[in-house]
Amino acid sequence: MKVSYRWLQDYIDAPLPSAEKVAEALTMHAFEVETVEEVGDDFVLDVDVLPNRTHDCLSHMGIAREVALLLDLPFKPPVFDFKGDPSVRTDCAIALSVPAEKFVRRAVKRVVFDVKVGPSPEWLKVKLETLGQRSINNIVDATNFVMLETGQPVHAFDYDKIADGSPPSSPEPCNIVIRLAKEGETITTLDTKTYTLNPSNLVIADSEKALDIAGVKGGANSAIDENTTRVLLSACTFHPTSVRKTSRTLNLLTDASKRFEQEVSPALAEKAMHRLSEIVAQVAGGKVAGDIIDFYPRKRNPYVIGVATDEVNKLLGSKMSDKDVETILTRLGFEWKQVNPVDEVLRLAPTLVGKPYKYGASISYDAPNHFDCSSFISYLFAHAGVAVPRVTVDQYIFGDEISENDLQPGDIVFARNNTTGEEKEVEIIATGEKVVQKVEHTETRDFMKGTKLPVGLDHNGIYLGDGKIIQASGMWHKGSVVIEDLKETPSFKNVRGYRRFSDNTPRYVVTVPFERLDLHAGPGFMISGNMADLIEEIGRVYGYDKITPQELPPAPAPVLNKTFYYTNKVRDILVDVGFSEVMTYAFQEKGQVELANPLAEDKKYLCQSLGAGLSKAFEENSRNAPLVGSPVQIFEIGTIFSPEEHIELGIMTDDKKVMSETLAILEKEIPGFTAKQTEKGIYADLSGLIEKLPDSTEKDLPAIGAKGKTFTPISAFPFILRDIAVWVPALVSSEDVQKLITSNAGGWLVRIDQFDEYKKEDKTSYAFHLVFQSNKKTLTDDEINGAMKNVEEKMKGEGWTVR
Amino acid sequence: MGQQSNGHYHPLTIAQRDIARIFSGMGFDIAEGPEAESEYYNFDALNIPADHPARDLWDTFWLKEATEDRALLRTHTSPVQIRYMETHKPPIRIIAPGKVYRYEATDATHEAQFYQLEGLVVDETTNLGTLKGVLARFFKEFFGKEADVRLRPSYFPFVEPAVEVDMSCFLCEGKGCNVCKKTGWIEIMGAGMVHPKVLLNVGIDPRKYQGFAFGAGIDRLLMLKHGITDVRLLYTGDLRLVNQF
């Protein structure tokens, strides 16, 4: 996201250091800043906001909060409290209904009357244009400003273009409906494109037509223009999956859809609405309604994560003190306290006596007003900084086993009440509604999923001491949180065991701020937040540079992996014989396993044999034979799909003698080696072979490859060939001759191969193929003639006879 | 210049054997798995659910006739780690080198198929400090020069904390050159502490065990080490490349 340096300064109550320093702090502790560009008298930072921080940091406010945190400067967020004019009422102007409640977490609406649409003031234009955005008019610019500032996409509708748009004095409010589109319903968007929708797309509509593709783009039919005098402001929170599906199927990616599909916190909608009201009033005049319509059916409890300093240091390898951790938590702006977990559970539990029982109660939405037996326990321990699983059976496997004699306050007692083994119907005491209470599973659901218990459990409670137990009692008994006598209550007649979740060592309990959707729940025992997420927060602020590298404890080298051992053994044999290894493409024109999304028509299949790739490589290398050596001898060990996946060995050469010799060596060195011979090469199923071979007993392979090689780029220019043959005295070796040639043939000599040797009593004749090539240009015959002449002169000088 | 001699190993083989040797010296085993994988092993087990924006981080080749066991070409060798953890209890030290596939347009630095190296250590105490130590030793032995390791915050769904790993530039030793874009640091791989969800998925209790994982492109390591500028050269079967090693 492009971020303006000056705009960030608006939210920081002390002068910022240079843009470069800000960028560095972000890169090392939060997000990589790819570029810092000067734009006018401002700087634009291109911040690569991590995908799990888009909900709070695809915004200037969010990035400013990060910068303030990392540079230890005071953060000054905008004020989100705009009081409108009581004479204008949103609830008289519109009636909101949300049939698609499943996909709408929050919908906030507010009207503004008597606005004057026109150009934006200079400050607003500059803010947008610095970031490369176009200024359109004051109202539209205000919506873009608020999105760039808060991260909440907001929209303004022309109120009078809404069906039934009535004069202020009329008693009938217009209907605004957030619903699923009808099959074939169309909408023309602001950029004059028309889309055909279906019931998987969410729209904001009036009683006649769709006005907006919810979370993606606004419609042209309700767009703000120079005649607009009354606007409807809208800030909503849509379900991420719904927006993502719509955006993908319509192929419409916008700044809004990008944010919604990564999830936006519902708490932001109201704040953004206040801010939008303020800016609209400021730049376009008008009277903002005194009231806001706020559809917010399910408000989630904040997540609560527990952590201890030891745990932080254990995961990171750092050496933080309690004070370090506390300072960082405070700087992060997280609410935290230190508790003794068991004491805290015992303190909180009795305060919940009387809360009604609800089977399957959610810790996020039903607590602290409704509980079932295990959510009661999970909730309490989360608030004491101890993460435990959500369901009874999981809690039983999760806790430390203790005996009845060791039972202490804070321990959990498990029981089995439904001994019939059948699902039974129970009546909810509060409402008379009948619900089927399932027989408890004998298998864990989230924690160590699938762990089996010999007998099922269906109830648990917390021991308070003095023979008392507190539990969220089922609807067949008390139907609410009660304290009873452990020996007397019918709920614990059939005790199955006792467990302890924690000792009383102090822990921090951290409340996750509403905007940090990345610090959210997980399965198993992470139902109220994941401790590793919190430790990451602490670690990145602390600085990973402070962690010293440590060595792993020494461990012996293991015996080599069988496939690795044998495939490399084959390689060693082949390279020794003179074959060179190639690797070719897996995607081929023909095959048995087809790709659904190939890169090209002729790359649709996974290769069914290495032959296709090897043939191509063989041809190319044959053309380059003078450069690469003759005869061309290549092999490949690679995966093929015929259609089963397995490793194949392919060997290719023209020389039939070499081929059969090589095959013989392989059959000798590797027991059970067989290959099929075709016209072009031999192919062996290595997977099948390796399966039958014994495990390797080696711990390492022969060393290969020289060090320090620098790659010489392959020349695109043609090569020139020359041969030279020379008589030399018997004592002169082939190496001596080659040395003379390479020293005198100039820099364009790229290869020298001896092809003949003929000995007489007192002299020897050596003959060589020479290859010349430049990687900068095409060489001429004249240039090479010159080089050859040089060599011949030198040879004559040695007294040798050039043939 | 050379003359007809012994054959040549493919530079990627030389690199892989080198890597195996370096990690074997630290007690690491080599793990393997299929290249055509299930959606579960390639994504779900790694905390990358369907219909989640996290999937966009990998461009995937899907098989036309997908089944539950075989639906795509693996986009990383992380599925090998999952398979290994399902059948081995901690302590674990493995590397998983292997061919992976990404649906990407090819150019000098991008190929649709390449070799990836992943590593995994799971025991009762391993942490970001040992990650730094292991990688520092690996860089020194692979590139032949002492290297500093720097970690920066990042995001991958299967690790928490997640980091980008930078290595001090072995060419200019931190002074600044073209290879390190004048910064003195080369961005070389991603890493982090294995996400508790991933451990739970394979039946390892995250309260008792913790681990780190890292992933790097072997092609890239090779290209950096030897100054190869075009990754496509590695797969054309051209001996003018292979013969140089």
Side-chain angles (χ1 to χ4, degrees):
Chain A
M1 174 180 172
K2 285 197 165 37
V3 164
S4 144
Y5 171 76
R6 281 189 175 279
W7 194 339
L8 291 177
Q9 181 69 82
D10 288 349
Y11 308 116
I12 297 182
D13 219 354
L16 280 173
S18 68
E20 303 294 347
K21 282 229 152 34
V22 170
E24 197 189 321
L26 284 171
T27 298
M28 295 313 300
H29 297 274
F31 320 118
E32 190 174 350
V33 178
E34 316 234 333
T35 55
V36 177
E37 268 175 47
E38 217 174 318
V39 176
D41 62 354
D42 193 355
F43 292 92
V44 172
L45 286 72
D46 193 358
V47 183
D48 193 7
V49 176
L50 291 173
N52 65 333
R53 292 293 302 278
T54 56
H55 16 254
D56 69 311
C57 281
L58 271 186
S59 66
H60 281 77
M61 205 169 78
I63 304 246
R65 185 190 288 112
E66 275 296 318
V67 172
L69 155 71
L70 298 175
L71 297 175
D72 213 359
L73 298 171
F75 174 58
K76 191 184 65 173
V79 175
F80 300 118
D81 184 19
F82 188 77
K83 303 219 182 321
D85 184 328
S87 72
V88 180
R89 294 200 59 81
T90 309
D91 57 8
C92 293
I94 65 155
L96 176 67
S97 66
V98 187
E101 191 175 323
K102 209 167 130 196
F103 304 106
V104 184
R105 292 182 175 165
R106 192 169 192 181
V108 181
K109 311 280 178 192
R110 197 173 199 179
V111 291
V112 187
F113 288 172
D114 301 335
V115 297
K116 198 146 186 297
V117 177
S120 292
E122 200 55 30
W123 70 265
L124 182 49
K125 273 199 205 155
V126 167
K127 278 208 150 45
L128 296 176
E129 284 164 0
T130 302
L131 299 176
Q133 300 231 353
R134 243 181 358 120
S135 167
I136 303 191
N137 60 51
N138 47 10
I139 305 265
V140 174
D141 289 356
T143 61
N144 286 330
F145 172 86
V146 170
M147 183 181 72
L148 291 169
E149 176 184 72
T150 66
Q152 165 74 48
V154 292
H155 192 66
F157 298 92
D158 183 329
Y159 177 73
D160 290 299
K161 294 191 181 128
I162 296 172
D164 305 334
S166 27
S169 50
S170 158
E172 291 302 316
C174 314
N175 289 321
I176 295 287
V177 189
I178 307 183
R179 60 168 170 79
L180 295 173
K182 303 190 196 97
E183 186 67 46
E185 185 170 4
T186 60
I187 182 170
T188 304
T189 54
L190 293 167
D191 51 0
T192 67
K193 287 206 186 73
T194 304
Y195 295 90
T196 308
L197 308 169
N198 64 62
S200 76
N201 309 130
L202 198 61
V203 294
I204 301 180
D206 59 27
S207 36
E208 287 170 14
K209 59 197 186 294
L211 301 170
D212 182 282
I213 306 175
V216 183
K217 211 168 174 92
N221 52 18
S222 57
I224 307 289
D225 61 39
E226 64 271 13
N227 298 317
T228 304
T229 56
R230 300 191 289 178
V231 298
L232 169 64
L233 303 178
S234 173
C236 303
T237 317
F238 301 110
H239 195 284
T241 314
S242 154
V243 172
R244 183 177 150 83
K245 276 205 177 103
T246 297
S247 157
R248 293 291 178 278
T249 52
L250 297 181
N251 201 12
L252 187 52
L253 253 77
T254 59
D255 280 338
S257 73
K258 207 170 55 177
R259 285 172 170 76
F260 281 123
E261 77 174 38
Q262 306 256 43
E263 219 174 335
V264 177
S265 168
L268 213 42
E270 189 196 353
K271 294 183 192 278
M273 178 54 82
H274 279 289
R275 193 70 174 130
L276 182 59
S277 313
E278 179 190 342
I279 305 289
V280 166
Q282 190 186 332
V283 305
K287 294 194 222 128
V288 176
D291 67 320
I292 293 178
I293 289 183
D294 188 358
F295 171 82
Y296 194 11
R298 284 198 357 143
K299 190 170 174 194
R300 195 173 34 73
N301 293 327
Y303 289 116
V304 188
I305 306 181
V307 75
T309 305
D310 283 346
E311 288 165 341
V312 175
N313 288 328
K314 184 162 184 263
L315 193 66
L316 298 177
S318 54
K319 294 191 175 68
M320 289 190 227
S321 63
D322 279 350
K323 191 130 201 299
D324 289 328
V325 172
E326 292 169 12
T327 307
I328 292 173
L329 288 174
T330 304
R331 269 173 68 183
L332 280 164
F334 294 173
E335 212 181 286
W336 64 268
K337 60 180 178 180
Q338 196 178 45
V339 303
N340 299 323
V342 177
D343 295 343
E344 185 69 359
V345 167
L346 295 171
R347 181 186 75 79
L348 279 172
T351 67
L352 297 170
V353 165
K355 297 289 186 185
Y357 180 91
K358 179 181 172 185
Y359 184 69
S362 156
I363 293 179
S364 289
Y365 292 101
D366 293 310
N369 296 317
H370 294 87
F371 296 100
D372 66 21
C373 59
S374 51
S375 82
F376 179 65
I377 291 172
S378 191
Y379 175 83
L380 284 170
F381 276 88
H383 282 269
V386 179
V388 312
R390 167 66 186 84
V391 296
T392 309
V393 178
D394 291 27
Q395 290 176 358
Y396 187 76
I397 298 295
F398 179 87
D400 290 330
E401 194 178 332
I402 52 167
S403 69
E404 191 179 352
N405 293 334
D406 291 330
L407 190 62
Q408 275 175 33
D411 290 339
I412 317 298
V413 185
F414 288 81
R416 185 164 188 245
N417 291 314
N418 183 349
T419 50
T420 63
E422 287 159 11
E423 290 186 354
K424 65 180 185 195
E425 204 179 65
V426 282
E427 191 183 302
I428 299 180
I429 293 167
T431 63
E433 190 191 333
K434 289 209 195 301
V435 184
V436 173
Q437 192 156 8
K438 292 199 166 96
V439 173
E440 224 18 50
H441 306 287
T442 53
E443 194 174 296
T444 58
R445 189 187 77 178
D446 304 311
F447 182 73
M448 297 297 137
K449 187 175 165 148
T451 308
K452 291 200 189 331
L453 282 86
V455 190
L457 308 165
D458 52 29
H459 192 55
N460 52 6
I462 303 174
Y463 184 63
L464 292 176
D466 285 335
K468 300 275 184 232
I469 187 152
I470 187 168
Q471 50 169 322
S473 173
M475 291 163 302
W476 61 278
H477 182 50
K478 289 287 169 82
S480 65
V481 175
V482 291
I483 297 176
E484 293 183 302
D485 219 274
L486 177 54
K487 295 280 182 231
E488 298 300 318
T489 172
S491 304
F492 286 93
K493 278 279 167 278
N494 198 3
V495 172
R496 294 246 58 93
Y498 308 89
R499 295 290 185 267
R500 185 166 297 159
F501 288 153
S502 174
D503 61 19
N504 221 8
T505 318
R507 301 178 65 71
Y508 298 107
V509 181
V510 180
T511 304
V512 175
F514 75 89
E515 73 269 4
R516 293 301 302 269
L517 296 181
D518 58 304
L519 300 173
H520 56 193
F525 59 94
M526 293 173 274
I527 196 85
S528 191
N530 176 9
M531 188 175 77
D533 283 341
L534 182 60
I535 294 180
E536 180 181 53
E537 277 302 284
I538 297 170
R540 73 176 178 93
V541 174
Y542 180 70
Y544 295 135
D545 55 317
K546 295 200 182 66
I547 298 172
T548 45
Q550 297 154 39
E551 273 187 28
L552 279 178
V559 161
L560 283 175
N561 168 296
K562 205 177 170 190
T563 307
F564 185 75
Y565 174 71
Y566 285 110
T567 50
N568 280 296
K569 192 160 185 207
V570 170
R571 285 191 179 98
D572 289 343
I573 292 169
L574 290 170
V575 167
D576 204 49
V577 171
F579 281 83
S580 286
E581 184 180 13
V582 297
M583 292 188 182
T584 59
Y585 284 107
F587 305 134
Q588 298 285 345
E589 240 174 323
K590 295 203 207 43
Q592 295 174 52
V593 181
E594 195 180 341
L595 292 172
N597 57 331
L599 276 172
E601 267 309 296
D602 63 344
K603 297 194 172 74
K604 248 185 1 193
Y605 295 93
L606 296 179
C607 71
Q608 57 185 343
S609 159
L610 295 174
L614 279 173
S615 300
K616 208 154 162 255
F618 189 83
E619 251 180 70
E620 302 248 340
N621 285 315
S622 300
R623 273 203 286 276
N624 288 321
L627 280 173
V628 301
S630 201
V632 173
Q633 294 176 185
I634 54 177
F635 76 94
E636 179 170 8
I637 294 178
T639 314
I640 61 164
F641 299 82
S642 60
E644 293 310 309
E645 175 179 335
H646 58 266
I647 301 173
E648 185 180 64
L649 163 68
I651 310 178
M652 200 171 277
T653 180
D654 266 343
D655 192 328
K656 298 236 188 296
K657 184 156 167 283
V658 169
M659 194 60 108
S660 29
E661 277 173 8
T662 306
L663 194 51
I665 296 173
L666 283 166
E667 281 166 354
K668 174 161 170 271
E669 295 291 320
I670 301 183
F673 184 92
T674 54
K676 58 179 199 296
Q677 206 152 357
T678 72
E679 213 184 85
K680 263 307 186 91
I682 53 183
Y683 300 92
D685 169 11
L686 289 185
S687 296
L689 170 68
I690 291 170
E691 219 180 288
K692 299 196 193 86
L693 289 167
D695 285 340
S696 107
T697 51
E698 301 296 318
K699 293 191 175 176
D700 49 47
L701 295 175
I704 61 170
K707 295 201 191 289
K709 286 232 164 73
T710 306
F711 172 70
T712 307
I714 296 172
S715 171
F717 298 98
F719 50 79
I720 294 185
L721 304 174
R722 285 281 192 277
D723 288 344
I724 187 165
V726 61
W727 285 110
V728 298
L731 286 174
V732 176
S733 69
S734 170
E735 283 75 32
D736 294 334
V737 183
Q738 285 186 59
K739 207 153 159 236
L740 183 144
I741 296 175
T742 54
S743 311
N744 292 288
W748 292 319
L749 178 69
V750 293
R751 194 178 167 100
I752 173 169
D753 289 294
Q754 182 182 320
F755 68 89
D756 191 47
E757 184 181 316
Y758 178 55
K759 277 182 156 42
K760 277 184 152 178
E761 307 105 17
D762 62 340
K763 57 181 181 178
T764 318
S765 163
Y766 293 109
F768 303 92
H769 291 313
L770 304 180
V771 185
F772 293 88
Q773 189 182 42
S774 161
N775 62 17
K776 290 197 179 69
K777 59 175 187 168
T778 304
L779 297 169
T780 63
D781 274 327
D782 277 340
E783 288 170 309
I784 302 308
N785 291 341
M788 292 304 291
K789 208 146 184 250
N790 201 31
V791 171
E792 288 167 12
E793 298 286 301
K794 282 288 180 318
M795 285 180 165
K796 286 200 190 107
E798 293 288 320
W800 302 347
T801 317
V802 178
R803 296 174 65 184
Chain B
M1 270 175 314
Q3 55 178 34
Q4 192 66 16
S5 58
N6 266 3
H8 295 260
Y9 295 88
H10 193 285
L12 279 171
T13 294
I14 300 175
Q16 286 188 74
R17 280 167 75 148
D18 208 12
I19 290 169
R21 182 188 50 79
I22 295 169
F23 280 99
S24 166
M26 294 191 261
F28 282 69
D29 200 352
I30 300 172
E32 65 198 282
E35 291 179 15
E37 261 294 6
S38 71
E39 213 178 321
Y40 176 74
Y41 279 116
N42 197 71
F43 286 126
D44 297 285
L46 293 158
N47 197 22
I48 310 165
D51 280 334
H52 191 273
R55 286 260 177 130
D56 293 340
L57 299 174
W58 291 271
D59 296 306
T60 315
F61 280 108
W62 295 90
L63 300 183
K64 195 155 186 206
E65 277 154 28
T67 63
E68 201 181 315
D69 289 328
R70 203 166 91 153
L72 47 76
L73 292 177
R74 66 183 181 191
T75 56
H76 39 200
T77 52
S78 316
V80 174
Q81 296 182 27
I82 301 293
R83 287 174 178 273
Y84 191 88
M85 285 193 283
E86 281 182 345
T87 50
H88 296 77
K89 288 301 147 222
I92 292 172
R93 285 188 203 181
I94 55 164
I95 51 167
K99 199 158 163 194
V100 302
Y101 302 84
R102 304 268 172 101
Y103 181 85
E104 264 176 17
T106 58
D107 60 32
T109 52
H110 296 92
E111 251 295 0
Q113 65 176 48
F114 60 96
Y115 280 83
Q116 209 200 18
L117 167 73
E118 291 205 5
L120 173 72
V121 172
V122 180
D123 59 35
E124 295 180 21
T125 57
T126 211
N127 53 45
L128 288 181
T130 49
L131 170 72
K132 269 193 180 182
V134 166
L135 293 180
R137 180 164 157 179
F138 168 63
F139 294 145
K140 177 173 170 197
E141 295 193 30
F142 186 79
F143 291 106
K145 280 219 181 106
E146 289 279 353
D148 286 325
V149 173
R150 183 174 84 169
L151 306 180
R152 287 181 282 118
S154 185
Y155 170 73
F156 308 104
F158 35 83
V159 285
E160 190 78 45
V163 294
E164 293 293 343
V165 181
D166 298 330
M167 175 185 83
S168 54
C169 183
F170 61 92
L171 277 173
C172 64
E173 285 172 1
K175 294 190 199 76
C177 67
N178 275 338
V179 171
C180 62
K181 294 182 204 156
K182 304 267 182 352
T183 63
W185 294 93
I186 301 177
E187 187 181 313
I188 204 144
M189 60 170 78
M193 300 304 294
V194 181
H195 200 291
K197 256 194 225 188
V198 173
L199 291 176
L200 268 182
N201 285 340
V202 295
I204 293 177
D205 189 340
R207 296 173 300 166
K208 294 201 184 69
Y209 297 104
Q210 53 192 58
F212 68 69
F214 59 82
I218 302 180
D219 300 36
R220 178 137 188 278
L221 293 174
L222 182 75
M223 287 166 70
L224 272 172
K225 183 172 175 179
H226 297 288
I228 301 172
T229 48
D230 194 326
V231 64
R232 293 168 294 190
L233 285 173
L234 297 172
Y235 302 105
T236 53
D238 196 334
L239 292 178
R240 291 178 297 173
L241 171 99
V242 174
N243 286 358
Q244 291 192 41
F245 293 92

